[in-house]
Amino acid sequence: MGSTPIATVLNSTLTKSRKKLIMASIKSNALMAWAFANDRVEFESGGHEITNPLTLGRNPNVTSYEYYNALPVAQTDEFDTVSFGWSRVAGTVIISDQEEDENRGETAIFKLMKAKMDVLEESIKEKFSEYLYGSGAGTDPNGLAALIPDDPTTGSIGGISRATETQWRTSAYDFNGNIDSTNIEEVFDDVLMDLTLKGDKPDLILTGRNLYRHYRTAVRDKIVINLDASNNGKKMMDLGFAGVKHQNITMLYDEDCGVNKAYFINSKYIRLHMLKHVNMKVKELTAPWNVDAAGRRVVWQGQFCIWKAYRSHAVVINS
C-alpha cells in the first residue's frame, strides 16, 4: 500500500492512540484490570505456547525413620506440563477513498480520525469484556467459563483433562436460587473456608447484579470497608470498578458477569500472560486490496492461564 497522505495521518493517529487503546483493554473487564493493578501480568518474550509444570501428585519419599531404617527412594512422578496457546486479537481501521474525498481539509480529516479512534476504543472495551466470561471458543482468549467452569468435572484446559485429574478441578457451588440477603454473607464465608488452603485463599470476588444487590442489602446497616480503603482497591476504583471488601478481599460488581453468579479467584494462580512486543502493536495493511481504501491494524497477543485449580477458585451459581 502506498504511503498516501491519509495513510500517513492514519498511522500517526493510531500510533499516538496506542496507549489509549492499551488502557481501553485494561479497563474493559474486572479481571484484566485486577491483573494490571496487582502485578499479575507476565510479559513473555516469545514462544509458540505458554507452559508450566503442574503439580498433580506428591513425593512418596517423605517418611519418619530411626537409626538404620531403610528410607524409600521410589521414582517420583509429581508433575505434568500444562500448556496454553496464545490468543491474538486485532482491530482494523479503514478509511475509504470516498471518505477521504468527503473530508478534505486538516480539520475535517482529524475529526474523522477522532471518530474512528473513538469507535475502535469502544469496540476493544466491549470485545475484551465479552471475552472475560466466555469459554475461549475458537481463537478467543480463555474466559472464566473455561477457567472456572460451572461443571469442573468435565472437559480439559491447558491440555489436561479435568475428568481424570481431580487436582485440576476448580470448585462450583449451585444454590438453586436459595441465596438472599439473609444468608449471602454466610455463604461467601463458607466458600472462602473451602478455598483457604494453608493460608492461601482468593483475593478477588467478581459478582453479577443480583448477588451484589443481595450483598449490599445484607451489609447496608453494617460497617463496610470500601475499596478506597486499600491501595489496590483505589486502583480498581480509578479504573472504573465499584465494590467493597469482604473479609478484606476485594469484591467487585461487574455488569458483564452473570446476574446470579460470583467468581472467587486467587490471582496468584490465574494470570494474564502477554507477548510484550504485541500489546496493541500498530501494523500497516499489506494484503492485496480490491477496494479503494487505506488502513492500519492494532494487534494484541496474550492469554489468561490457570496454574493451580484445586481449592483455589470457585464459581457460585444462584439460578
Side-chain angles (χ1 to χ4, degrees):
M1 176 168 48
S3 183
T4 62
I6 190 67
T8 302
V9 174
L10 177 56
N11 185 73
S12 176
T13 303
L14 202 51
T15 301
K16 288 180 179 178
S17 299
R18 180 172 171 268
K19 289 183 178 179
K20 192 176 180 183
L21 296 176
I22 292 172
M23 282 304 298
S25 69
I26 293 172
K27 297 169 69 174
S28 62
N29 68 57
L31 187 54
M32 186 172 280
W34 180 261
F36 276 92
N38 292 273
D39 298 322
R40 302 303 197 197
V41 181
E42 302 287 344
F43 291 96
E44 308 287 351
S45 298
H48 174 65
E49 57 187 8
I50 311 156
T51 61
N52 222 26
L54 175 70
T55 302
L56 292 177
R58 293 292 182 265
N59 189 324
N61 299 322
V62 179
T63 186
S64 62
Y65 77 104
E66 62 181 1
Y67 301 113
Y68 298 104
N69 288 161
L71 295 175
V73 287
Q75 180 177 344
T76 61
D77 187 16
E78 310 101 313
F79 303 105
D80 200 344
T81 299
V82 58
S83 60
F84 294 90
W86 292 104
S87 182
R88 197 168 173 95
V89 179
T92 305
V93 179
I94 303 293
I95 295 181
S96 69
D97 190 57
Q98 183 174 348
E99 285 178 303
E100 181 181 0
D101 289 339
E102 293 171 354
N103 289 274
R104 286 287 179 184
E106 185 174 322
T107 301
I109 196 61
F110 276 102
K111 283 183 179 178
L112 177 61
M113 290 294 184
K114 182 181 184 305
K116 294 272 188 180
M117 291 303 106
D118 288 346
V119 172
L120 178 61
E121 181 182 352
E122 289 303 313
S123 299
I124 287 172
K125 286 181 182 178
E126 290 174 4
K127 185 57 73 172
F128 274 90
S129 185
E130 176 186 321
Y131 290 148
L132 174 59
Y133 296 100
S135 61
T139 57
D140 289 354
N142 289 328
L144 291 177
L147 300 171
I148 312 175
D150 292 358
D151 182 359
T153 65
T154 62
S156 299
I157 187 77
I160 296 176
S161 170
R162 283 171 161 153
T164 58
E165 296 293 349
T166 58
Q167 291 287 332
W168 200 220
R169 295 176 186 171
T170 54
S171 300
Y173 305 86
D174 192 342
F175 288 88
N176 296 307
N178 291 313
I179 299 177
D180 57 30
S181 60
T182 67
N183 63 7
I184 190 168
E185 292 177 278
E186 182 180 359
V187 167
F188 280 15
D189 287 347
D190 286 346
V191 170
L192 286 171
M193 279 194 289
D194 286 349
L195 299 180
T196 301
L197 186 62
K198 306 299 184 185
D200 212 4
K201 63 182 181 180
D203 54 1
L204 177 64
I205 303 172
L206 301 181
T207 65
R209 177 181 293 273
N210 290 347
L211 286 179
Y212 191 68
R213 290 179 67 187
H214 286 322
Y215 188 87
R216 294 293 295 179
T217 300
V219 301
R220 183 163 295 151
D221 298 323
K222 301 177 182 179
I223 296 175
V224 178
I225 300 175
N226 291 315
L227 283 188
D228 58 4
S230 66
N231 184 47
N232 289 339
K234 187 177 185 305
K235 290 179 183 177
M236 296 304 293
M237 290 187 69
D238 291 342
L239 290 170
F241 294 93
V244 294
K245 292 278 191 175
H246 178 77
Q247 287 196 22
N248 206 34
I249 296 170
T250 297
M251 182 166 69
L252 301 175
Y253 162 64
D254 190 346
E255 64 182 18
D256 293 306
C257 183
V259 295
N260 291 307
K261 279 190 174 182
Y263 288 93
F264 290 68
I265 298 167
N266 187 328
S267 65
K268 286 173 60 178
Y269 305 118
I270 289 184
R271 288 183 174 248
L272 174 62
H273 291 251
M274 290 175 54
L275 206 55
K276 64 183 179 181
H277 54 283
V278 192
N279 188 9
M280 299 303 166
K281 177 176 70 173
V282 179
K283 297 184 63 178
E284 180 179 1
L285 295 182
T286 57
W289 286 93
N290 59 5
V291 292
D292 210 5
R296 288 295 187 276
R297 177 171 292 144
V298 289
V299 180
W300 176 93
Q301 187 163 329
Q303 188 62 279
F304 271 113
C305 303
I306 183 170
W307 301 120
K308 183 173 179 287
Y310 179 68
R311 290 185 63 184
S312 297
H313 324 278
V315 57
V316 172
I317 307 162
N318 193 44
S319 57

